[in-house]
Amino acid sequence: MTAGTFRVMLRMQIKPGMDEAFEQTWYEVGDAVTQHPANRGQWLSKSAEEAGVYYIISDWVDEQRFREFERSERHLEHRTKLHPYRSGGSMTTMNVVYDMSRETVRRP
């Protein structure tokens, strides 16, 4: 993850009792995202504070390439498989300014 990365964060509310099935389906269809040449990786996280809330974060080369993916058949198929589990959600997009992960921070 480097500065210049376009990051997308989805907040998904999953229908009660469907957490495990959602997680498994997300994992099974995840390569639809990660196999795209402009994708730098994605992560699924479960809220420690809100029941049934998940965050999906994906990093992209730039916004234009993400938007191309977002309009693609591949994305539509991916969303269709996850939709039955979802009761609500939102999307936030952002540009990474600094990356201070262990891999990028250089120390003397």
Side-chain angles (χ1 to χ4, degrees):
M1 296 170 290
T2 61
T5 295
F6 184 73
R7 182 164 288 164
V8 178
M9 183 175 71
L10 302 173
R11 180 188 185 277
M12 292 183 70
Q13 178 71 45
I14 303 304
K15 295 174 185 174
M18 300 188 87
D19 288 24
E20 286 184 38
F22 165 72
E23 289 175 18
Q24 185 63 36
T25 302
W26 182 88
Y27 183 77
E28 290 171 359
V29 303
D31 63 346
V33 175
T34 56
Q35 293 301 313
H36 190 281
N39 181 262
R40 292 183 168 163
Q42 68 169 336
W43 301 264
L44 176 66
S45 300
K46 186 174 185 177
S47 176
E49 300 167 352
E50 299 177 273
V53 172
Y54 287 83
Y55 295 92
I56 300 169
I57 298 170
S58 61
D59 286 351
W60 298 82
V61 173
D62 58 34
E63 183 175 5
Q64 178 182 341
R65 301 285 305 277
F66 166 72
R67 298 296 179 189
E68 289 170 6
F69 170 76
E70 189 179 36
R71 292 185 296 269
S72 71
E73 285 295 319
R74 176 185 252 176
H75 182 247
L76 179 59
E77 182 179 326
H78 181 259
R79 285 185 59 191
T80 300
K81 290 179 181 175
L82 295 176
H83 185 73
Y85 305 101
R86 183 178 175 163
S87 65
S90 61
M91 182 172 87
T92 301
T93 61
M94 60 201 88
N95 294 297
V96 174
V97 177
Y98 292 110
D99 176 353
M100 294 184 72
S101 63
R102 289 178 185 237
E103 295 82 29
T104 61
V105 175
R106 292 186 186 6
R107 292 187 172 88

